[in-house]
Amino acid sequence: MSRLVVAPLAALLLTGCVVQEERDAPATTRPPPGAVREVPLRVVEQGPRTLAFVPVSIEGEGPFMFALDTGASTSVVDDDVADRAGLELTGERRSVSGILGTGQVPVARADRWEVGGVPIAPGEVTVVDLAPPEGGGGIQGLLGSDVLSDYGSVTVDYDAGVLQLPAS
């Protein structure tokens, strides 16, 4: 009779040990809901304008200083940055318009890029000669709504100097 009680009891204890070991194992699952990743944000005030810059690495090169531009429907890379990162042009050209005018610009594919260490999904970028703005500063690209919308919601904290992206 005692064997009949001991065997199931031992099995139950061993099962509990396995479950405990799994709980103590390092977490390799997704972050909890509501978790965020913070990206350093450099805020530059030029007269009445305020620009927010984030570090973007492309194909292992950089980081390059990209301005956050929620009004841009597509992300833009300066032609010098595209050359340095070795981006290959797709052969497609897109129409763009901005304060400097309208024109057709080449499109390139960015397979491996990130903003402040947070991966960005592979995608296309337009390649433009971004002349330094008056007063210097040198924008090397624009991170547009095509990328930012992938995160669902973002927080730009100008006072703390961080861009908050949901952890995925």
Side-chain angles (χ1 to χ4, degrees):
M1 178 78 165
S2 65
R3 283 188 193 180
L4 293 176
V5 173
V6 172
L9 183 58
L12 184 60
L13 288 174
L14 288 175
T15 303
C17 290
V18 172
V19 171
Q20 183 63 38
E21 286 176 3
E22 287 176 355
R23 278 191 218 135
D24 291 343
T28 56
T29 58
R30 300 183 137 217
V36 297
R37 305 250 333 242
E38 292 189 343
V39 174
L41 182 72
R42 190 179 89 201
V43 179
V44 176
E45 295 186 23
Q46 294 180 336
R49 297 182 307 176
T50 301
L51 299 173
F53 291 92
V54 290
V56 174
S57 296
I58 306 172
E59 308 299 344
E61 296 292 327
F64 305 104
M65 294 313 293
F66 277 43
L68 287 180
D69 190 349
T70 58
S73 60
T74 184
S75 293
V76 174
V77 175
D78 181 73
D79 56 358
D80 290 335
V81 170
D83 288 343
R84 187 168 153 197
L87 295 182
E88 291 189 33
L89 299 178
T90 64
E92 180 185 352
R93 295 183 73 79
R94 288 193 186 141
S95 181
V96 296
S97 59
I99 59 171
L100 299 176
T102 302
Q104 294 284 318
V105 297
V107 175
R109 175 115 181 120
D111 290 318
R112 191 171 47 98
W113 55 328
E114 58 186 41
V115 55
V118 178
I120 298 173
E124 294 180 338
V125 294
T126 55
V127 180
V128 178
D129 179 12
L130 295 172
E134 197 172 306
I139 296 174
Q140 295 175 298
L142 302 174
L143 200 58
S145 62
D146 59 331
V147 168
L148 296 172
S149 65
D150 286 346
Y151 296 98
S153 67
V154 299
T155 300
V156 180
D157 188 334
Y158 289 93
D159 292 331
V162 294
L163 168 67
Q164 294 177 336
L165 302 170
S168 52

